[in-house]
Amino acid sequence: LVESESWLDFANLQYREGTAGSADTSNQFVASNFYGKPVAATEMVWEGGGKLIADQVRRGAWGILMAGGFFLYGEFDLGGTGVGDFGLGKAHPFLRIMLDFMETVPYWEMSPHNELVVERGSFCLANPGKEYVIYVESGGAVTVDLSAASRSLSVEWLNPRTGERSSAGT
């Protein structure tokens, strides 16, 4: 296997023809193929006939990001035209919310730390003690191990469906 070879720059992943439609599935798949190098999930979250619906793309994409990977979003066979015209997919607004959010955090300093969250279906990308991004696939409360933090941290909730943000104190 070549995963640990110094000449390998990144891993390029495909999952069952673009059908990783849950954060749990995509997160585990990317994490299991992470060898300390960037992970490109090029065929994991495709929208369209025989693939995923927009909400599944959203969930799968968050799982990829929380595992430290990046992804390509494919719109496949939308409108019955083979590969659909750009913009036919309904996941674009969800992915815009994700991009806008990720531009506000220093994700390049973070790495996957799912061991810091307890609830199944919860995922953590963190720079322990400084910054934590938690994704809870089904929503709701989550328990996070913040023992590495030596100061109070601000908490903000993001609704990944609407983009609505709300402060939750410290």
Side-chain angles (χ1 to χ4, degrees):
L1 299 175
V2 299
E3 293 89 355
S4 60
E5 295 292 331
S6 61
W7 53 264
L8 183 69
D9 293 331
F10 67 93
N12 181 15
L13 301 180
Q14 299 177 346
Y15 182 87
R16 297 184 185 167
E17 300 174 345
T19 59
S22 78
D24 191 46
T25 298
S26 62
N27 189 272
Q28 287 182 35
F29 188 68
V30 170
S32 70
N33 287 281
F34 177 75
Y35 299 96
K37 299 172 183 178
V39 176
T42 57
E43 289 187 32
M44 288 185 62
V45 288
W46 286 17
E47 182 179 358
K51 302 292 180 185
L52 304 174
I53 62 170
D55 192 58
Q56 290 172 311
V57 169
R58 175 186 59 79
R59 290 171 183 259
W62 274 100
I64 292 166
L65 285 181
M66 300 307 287
F70 63 97
F71 64 92
L72 297 177
Y73 161 56
E75 302 169 297
F76 182 79
D77 197 25
L78 297 169
T81 61
V83 175
D85 294 331
F86 177 76
L88 288 177
K90 294 183 176 149
H92 283 277
F94 295 143
L95 301 179
R96 181 82 238 177
I97 290 166
M98 178 188 299
L99 174 64
D100 290 347
F101 172 76
M102 292 305 287
E103 287 181 333
T104 69
V105 298
Y107 63 87
W108 57 91
E109 297 175 355
M110 305 168 97
S111 57
H113 284 281
N114 291 344
E115 75 279 2
L116 298 178
V117 291
V118 176
E119 292 75 16
R120 179 159 170 74
S122 299
F123 309 95
C124 179
L125 189 65
N127 181 351
K130 296 182 180 180
E131 190 94 26
Y132 300 80
V133 174
I134 312 299
Y135 179 76
V136 184
E137 185 164 15
S138 298
V142 64
T143 303
V144 184
D145 177 354
L146 300 175
S147 60
S150 60
R151 60 179 175 80
S152 292
L153 300 171
S154 298
V155 178
E156 178 182 63
W157 288 102
L158 167 73
N159 182 329
R161 292 173 194 85
T162 66
E164 179 184 351
R165 295 180 180 202
S166 58
S167 176
T170 57

